Structure formats: C-alpha cells, structure tokens
Amino acid sequence: MVLNWKVGGLLLGLVFFAAVLLVKPIGVSTQFVILDGIVADVVSPDFITQTDEGYTSTNAYMAKSDGKYAGNASNPLNYSFVFVLAMALGAFASARLRGGIDKLERTAPEIWRENFGDTPMMRYAVAFLGGFIVLYGARLAGGCTSGHMMSGMMQTALSGYIFAAGAFAAAIPTAMLMYKRG
C-alpha cells in the first residue's frame, strides 16, 4: 500500500497547520541538541545545573537562550522532544501496518542498487555523512527543513521561501549527479 503523494502532502499540511494552530511551529533539529545534552548530563552530572533563574550549562551552546536548551535537556518530556520520538514511532508503525519493508529494500533501496550496485556499507556511510552535513547545516542555520521550510513557508516567512529555494537548488543537482541513469 503506497500513499498517493497528493494525499500525503495534504495530510502533512494539515498536521503542520494543526501544530501551529494548537501548539507551535514544528522544528526537529534542535531536539538532536537536546538529546546530546541529555547524554552529556548522564555522563557528566555537572553539565546542566539548576539555578534560581532556571537552568544553565557548562556548555555555552546549551546555556544560550537563557538556558532554554539546558532546561529542555534536564526535563525532556516536553512537546518538541516527545514529538520527535512520536515521529520515529509513527514511521515504524506505518511501515509495519503497510506490511513492512523487505530486507533487500532496507539494506539498499532499488535506486541505490541500480546506480551503485549492492553496496550496503557504502550506502550507510553516504547516508550517515549526508545526515551529518544536513544536521550540521541545520544547527548552523538555527533550524531544519521542517522549521525553516515547512513551518516557515506556512507562516509566509520570507526566510522560509529563501531556505526552500536554496534547499532545492542544492538537492536537485545533487540527486541528478548521484542518480543519473546510464
């Protein structure tokens, strides 16, 4: 069972609209910082400390925004962190309800095998490197595609449209170079 892209786009738009209307705009990449803070605080209990004004951290990035990141890492059961966990669980549940994904497709999708052969380790390395670059860029830009592009465009923020144009200007030529049929 494959979801029609138009129906999927409409459902995604409704989820974003409901999130903005009921809670706040959706953004995901900050939660990687929060997860890092949770792990760092477990390893080094003095990483995050509670003060009279709230929370702070020995790490300047975690302490920024008046300790907002440190506070979220100290109390991770908040809307944003639970939302990210729910995204992963929802994707898993969706795949299971649709019959799962066969082992060959999980190892290396057909489009990868057509262009690069049956090289799962290379695919994992490329996926990890690509994910690292995207996450690094997202944190450098102060937000990710869901925050800047999806939520930003929905709120008619000029920065959202500029980000979307830049993302597609980079993604389309990259995909064309990587997945050229030949």
Side-chain angles (χ1 to χ4, degrees):
M1 177 177 92
V2 175
L3 185 64
N4 179 288
W5 70 269
K6 293 174 191 172
V7 174
L10 182 62
L11 290 173
L12 184 63
L14 289 172
V15 167
F16 271 85
F17 182 75
V20 170
L21 185 66
L22 300 173
V23 185
K24 67 178 190 172
I26 291 174
V28 175
S29 66
T30 302
Q31 300 317 306
F32 285 94
V33 175
I34 303 306
L35 180 60
D36 291 345
I38 293 167
V39 171
D41 197 46
V42 167
V43 173
S44 176
D46 61 339
F47 184 75
I48 297 173
T49 54
Q50 188 170 8
T51 66
D52 292 337
E53 293 82 35
Y55 290 88
T56 191
S57 174
T58 55
N59 179 283
Y61 193 82
M62 291 295 292
K64 77 181 201 171
S65 300
D66 295 323
K68 181 180 169 191
Y69 291 170
N72 285 340
S74 185
N75 302 298
L77 289 179
N78 59 62
Y79 167 77
S80 296
F81 196 72
V82 171
F83 177 80
V84 171
L85 295 177
M87 281 178 25
L89 289 173
F92 177 77
S94 174
R96 298 299 287 182
L97 289 171
R98 293 166 63 215
I101 301 169
D102 67 37
K103 186 174 191 259
L104 188 60
E105 192 68 14
R106 280 192 317 263
T107 305
E110 183 180 339
I111 191 169
W112 177 272
R113 290 191 310 273
E114 286 175 4
N115 287 276
F116 302 104
D118 192 16
T119 56
M121 290 311 291
M122 184 174 144
R123 178 178 181 272
Y124 297 151
V126 169
F128 180 82
L129 179 63
F132 179 84
I133 291 168
V134 167
L135 185 56
Y136 182 79
R139 296 316 315 143
L140 196 61
C144 58
T145 53
S146 56
H148 280 306
M149 186 164 47
M150 302 294 289
S151 293
M153 288 176 66
M154 195 174 99
Q155 297 173 81
T156 66
L158 179 60
S159 61
Y161 290 97
I162 292 170
F163 180 85
F168 281 102
I172 291 171
T174 301
M176 290 171 70
L177 284 171
M178 282 193 68
Y179 294 107
K180 55 185 166 195
R181 303 254 180 198

